[in-house]
Amino acid sequence: MTKASTLITKIKTCMLQIIEQPFGNTADGRPVELYTLLNGYNMEVEITNYGGIITAIKVPGKNGKAENVVLGFKSLDGYLGKHPKIGATVGRYANRIAQGKFQLEGKAYNLAQNKGKHHIHGGTEGFDRKVWKVRTGISEDKAILQMSYTSPNGEEGYPGNLEVKVTYYLTLDGSLGIQYEASTDQPTVVNFTNHSYFNLNLAHRADIKNHQLAIKADRYLPANDESIPTGELKPVDNTSFDLRTPQSIQSIFDQKHPEIEKTKGLDHCFVLKDINAPEVKLAATLTDPESKRVLEVFTSEPGIQVYTGNFLDPALGFAPHQAVCLETQHFPDSPNKPQFPPTTLLPDQKFVSTTLYKFSVEDE
């Protein structure tokens, strides 16, 4: 490496920062911290070790001004109360498991039934309600925040002691990466996601209906009246789920597809192309025509659940369709659907999954 390139590397590294500050205490008195990752290019990401929650993502728009583009609360108290997983790390199993039951290696397991008679997002006290251990660091091109948690055998009904690491990293080019890692001492099931709600013009627009959404999916998962997948991987051709070319979210609603009408908006899992490919690939693109902000979602996961905030609660300070979740994950109810990509994790295996949120500004 030349002296010039070494100097450039040092300058770039100095631009990256991580700021730690107190964020309050849990009901039982445990201290919680808030970490701000800065990349030196007018982008900031705020994350708390309570629930691994992303509380804010500030990115520039067409005028160069950085503004927050995700829903969140101003204090820890909002996250300690009941809320729809705003910004949270979700696990052990994101999305639904029918009846809160599954079988693994001939043994039946009963999970917490916290969505009617079904299990959702890890149970009554999932990963979003835990205080995670933290390590931070700066590399030559990333500000890194690593959180870890040990989920004990039997927690929410899941088998095995599960060691989990979630690594967030903010890059110089405007990307927020999330890498999930897990290992277990007994056969178990895992499925992690982040539950951030995006509105790329949040400071100036009350909903995301004018956002343009594209999903690189040829198929989606039809679901029953309780949002449990039927098991079919249905082609999107000639349906309202064909988002291979961008559409406004309002235009998707206007097509009045029975499945979308039933859920009052999108709340569906899309089957990404190259379903068995381990590499990170483009899954979705969200664009706001007013601010010109663009969000590209890359993932190694086989699916992406798109939820258009259909039941966001005004009592919490939010409104239906104010933001959209782009939840990279394995498919809902996979432990009960052998035709779906498996979510089983064995003691001699390591689970690794990567998702990347890349922000940019569209050319005028």
Side-chain angles (χ1 to χ4, degrees), residues 261-332:
E261 292 249 285
K262 177 180 64 180
T263 52
K264 301 186 184 301
L266 285 171
D267 190 7
H268 297 82
C269 189
F270 289 79
V271 180
L272 299 175
K273 290 183 179 180
D274 303 320
I275 188 171
N276 294 313
E279 69 271 10
V280 174
K281 66 273 185 184
L282 179 65
T285 304
L286 186 68
T287 306
D288 172 55
E290 294 179 15
S291 70
K292 301 297 182 181
R293 291 186 180 95
V294 179
L295 167 60
E296 294 173 293
V297 182
F298 298 81
T299 188
S300 59
E301 287 293 300
I304 184 168
Q305 183 86 10
V306 180
Y307 173 55
T308 49
N310 313 325
F311 298 100
L312 284 169
D313 188 355
L316 295 176
F318 310 119
H321 305 141
Q322 186 178 0
V324 57
C325 296
L326 301 169
E327 307 165 49
T328 57
Q329 58 186 258
H330 272 60
F331 303 160

Side-chain angles (χ1 to χ4, degrees), residues 60-309:
K62 63 182 180 181
N63 59 4
K65 183 180 180 182
E67 295 175 314
N68 182 34
V69 296
V70 293
L71 299 187
F73 297 103
K74 293 181 179 179
S75 70
L76 178 62
D77 289 345
Y79 297 106
L80 295 177
K82 186 177 180 180
H83 65 90
K85 311 295 180 185
I86 298 288
T89 294
V90 177
R92 287 189 189 191
Y93 200 97
N95 221 312
R96 294 163 175 82
I97 295 179
Q99 313 296 320
K101 297 179 180 180
F102 68 93
Q103 289 197 356
L104 186 57
E105 297 193 340
K107 186 175 180 179
Y109 293 94
N110 295 301
L111 308 176
Q113 294 174 314
N114 60 316
K115 185 69 173 180
K117 59 187 178 182
H118 305 299
H119 179 87
I120 189 171
H121 290 335
T124 54
E125 192 173 304
F127 288 176
D128 58 300
R129 296 285 175 179
K130 308 301 181 183
V131 177
W132 294 63
K133 295 180 181 178
V134 174
R135 295 177 63 186
T136 62
I138 301 287
S139 74
E140 67 179 50
D141 62 349
K142 299 182 184 74
I144 302 167
L145 176 67
Q146 185 181 86
M147 298 190 182
S148 60
Y149 172 68
T150 301
S151 178
N153 178 43
E155 185 171 62
E156 299 293 324
Y158 289 99
N161 294 294
L162 189 73
E163 300 287 343
V164 184
K165 289 182 182 178
V166 182
T167 303
Y168 307 84
Y169 53 93
L170 178 61
T171 68
L172 292 167
D173 71 351
S175 298
L176 172 63
I178 306 178
Q179 184 176 76
Y180 305 91
E181 300 174 71
S183 59
T184 181
D185 61 359
Q186 294 182 44
T188 191
V189 295
V190 295
N191 186 25
F192 308 134
T193 196
N194 179 267
H195 211 279
S196 289
Y197 287 76
F198 295 97
N199 180 330
L200 299 180
N201 202 17
L202 183 60
H204 307 283
R205 184 108 181 162
D207 60 54
I208 39 82
K209 293 178 182 178
N210 71 329
H211 281 41
Q212 298 281 321
L213 177 64
I215 305 290
K216 292 183 72 68
D218 295 324
R219 294 170 292 173
Y220 77 102
L221 303 184
N224 64 21
D225 289 344
E226 295 179 305
S227 297
I228 302 298
T230 63
E232 180 185 5
L233 278 63
K234 188 173 182 178
V236 301
D237 302 84
N238 303 313
T239 75
S240 302
F241 297 96
D242 189 352
L243 303 178
R244 290 172 290 188
T245 56
Q247 291 191 52
S248 74
I249 290 175
Q250 181 64 64
S251 71
I252 300 169
F253 294 168
D254 288 344
Q255 294 172 50
K256 299 188 182 300
H257 190 286
E259 286 189 56
I260 296 175
E261 292 249 285
K262 177 180 64 180
T263 52
K264 301 186 184 301
L266 285 171
D267 190 7
H268 297 82
C269 189
F270 289 79
V271 180
L272 299 175
K273 290 183 179 180
D274 303 320
I275 188 171
N276 294 313
E279 69 271 10
V280 174
K281 66 273 185 184
L282 179 65
T285 304
L286 186 68
T287 306
D288 172 55
E290 294 179 15
S291 70
K292 301 297 182 181
R293 291 186 180 95
V294 179
L295 167 60
E296 294 173 293
V297 182
F298 298 81
T299 188
S300 59
E301 287 293 300
I304 184 168
Q305 183 86 10
V306 180
Y307 173 55
T308 49

Side-chain angles (χ1 to χ4, degrees), residues 328-347:
T328 57
Q329 58 186 258
H330 272 60
F331 303 160
D333 202 32
S334 290
N336 296 311
K337 300 285 193 300
Q339 68 272 38
F340 287 176
T343 55
T344 301
L345 181 65
L346 302 177

Side-chain angles (χ1 to χ4, degrees), residues 46-59:
E46 296 177 2
I47 305 169
T48 174
N49 64 324
Y50 180 76
I53 293 170
I54 296 172
T55 64
I57 301 176
K58 299 174 183 178
V59 296

